[in-house]
Amino acid sequence: DIQMTQSPSSLSASIGDRVTITCRASQTISRYLNWYQHKPGRAPKVLIYAASSLQSGVSSRFSGSGSGTNFTLTISSLQAEDVASYYCQEGYINPPGTFGQGTKVEIK
Amino acid sequence: EVQLVESGGGLVQPGGSLRLSCAASGFPFSNYWMSWVRQAPGKGLEWVANIKQDGSATYYVDSVKGRFSISRDNAKNSLFLQMLSLRAEDTAVYFCARVTTTVVRTLLIYYFDYWGQGSLVTVSS
């Protein structure tokens, strides 16, 4: 099975900061990597698919990069509404699959 | 408007069973893979199971294999998760999710584009 490891598990940043979350796959997964945002009490929301494609309607503050085993989600300028947990997910073995353990983003 | 509405959650004793349902509307249900994802209290998202459009293929996370069964009724636009031999560690909010497919640079990409609001399953004596 593919394991997905995110870092950090949590972070605190100021409004306007650039925030980076990393995700590492236990084996190469090409670009079969998605990113989701999840706020408490709400349904999760896809931000990025295929490692770097921005989902329609998602703010351009969000961007993704990477391929193979190493991936990054970047928030270019952190806003209050970005407080949430963020998850990477692989879609390599079967559609779709394992999530990373999540990164909780808070405002400093 | 795409809508996914889960039902069937509740309190069940360890070793018991429960059947979750997900009513889909606003899209051609039979054209999409569907999935179940759960979130245990204070924990992250965990993919549970997938089912192909016609039900001919199913996949499960190792921890539920042999105990959970995903199925669908395309005539009724409904997705199900039959859960047997429930354990305390199965306690979670269970979400149904639609899988959308797209091609990006020759890669066939799958991701969850719509989710329900979730149904709480509590396994406790």
Side-chain angles (χ1 to χ4, degrees):
Chain A
D1 292 355
I2 298 175
Q3 307 301 318
M4 307 299 293
T5 304
Q6 282 181 239
S7 62
S9 56
S10 65
L11 66 89
S12 181
S14 299
I15 298 292
D17 281 356
R18 184 181 183 87
V19 170
T20 299
I21 299 168
T22 63
C23 178
R24 177 170 294 178
S26 59
Q27 66 182 72
T28 183
I29 57 170
S30 183
R31 297 176 61 84
Y32 294 97
L33 191 285
N34 309 315
W35 289 98
Y36 299 85
Q37 177 192 66
H38 190 203
K39 298 180 180 181
R42 307 259 311 258
K45 171 185 173 182
V46 63
L47 301 173
I48 301 286
Y49 60 91
S52 62
S53 295
L54 189 69
Q55 173 71 348
S56 176
V58 172
S59 170
S60 58
R61 295 197 307 278
F62 296 93
S63 63
S65 64
S67 66
T69 60
N70 293 307
F71 302 88
T72 300
L73 174 71
T74 299
I75 308 173
S76 60
S77 177
L78 186 67
Q79 302 300 306
E81 60 264 33
D82 300 333
V83 169
S85 292
Y86 293 83
Y87 298 88
C88 62
Q89 180 201 37
E90 64 83 16
Y92 184 76
I93 297 294
N94 65 74
T98 306
F99 290 94
Q101 78 275 23
T103 297
K104 188 173 184 180
V105 174
E106 298 176 325
I107 301 295
K108 190 182 297 182
Chain B
E1 179 192 5
V2 172
Q3 285 197 322
L4 298 169
V5 180
E6 302 92 340
S7 61
L11 175 64
V12 61
Q13 292 188 338
S17 61
L18 211 56
R19 189 192 197 207
L20 299 181
S21 299
C22 173
S25 60
F27 66 100
F29 180 73
S30 61
N31 288 1
Y32 289 83
W33 282 81
M34 296 294 296
S35 298
W36 288 98
V37 176
R38 67 184 178 183
Q39 184 177 35
K43 303 293 184 182
L45 298 175
E46 180 182 38
W47 164 74
V48 174
N50 294 332
I51 186 167
K52 196 176 179 181
Q53 290 92 330
D54 61 359
S56 62
T58 58
Y59 300 96
Y60 300 91
V61 67
D62 284 349
S63 60
V64 309
K65 284 180 182 175
R67 300 189 300 122
F68 289 13
S69 177
I70 187 172
S71 62
R72 63 195 295 162
D73 184 337
N74 286 341
K76 296 183 178 179
N77 293 337
S78 295
L79 177 71
F80 305 102
L81 186 67
Q82 179 69 53
M83 302 182 292
L84 305 176
S85 303
L86 282 161
R87 306 166 180 167
E89 54 265 35
D90 296 318
T91 293
V93 175
Y94 285 74
F95 299 94
C96 68
R98 189 181 85 166
V99 180
T100 205
T101 307
T102 190
V103 176
V104 178
R105 302 180 202 174
T106 76
L107 299 182
L108 186 60
I109 301 296
Y110 299 85
Y111 61 94
F112 300 134
D113 62 344
Y114 286 94
W115 301 64
Q117 290 300 312
S119 182
L120 176 62
V121 173
T122 303
V123 184
S124 174
S125 55

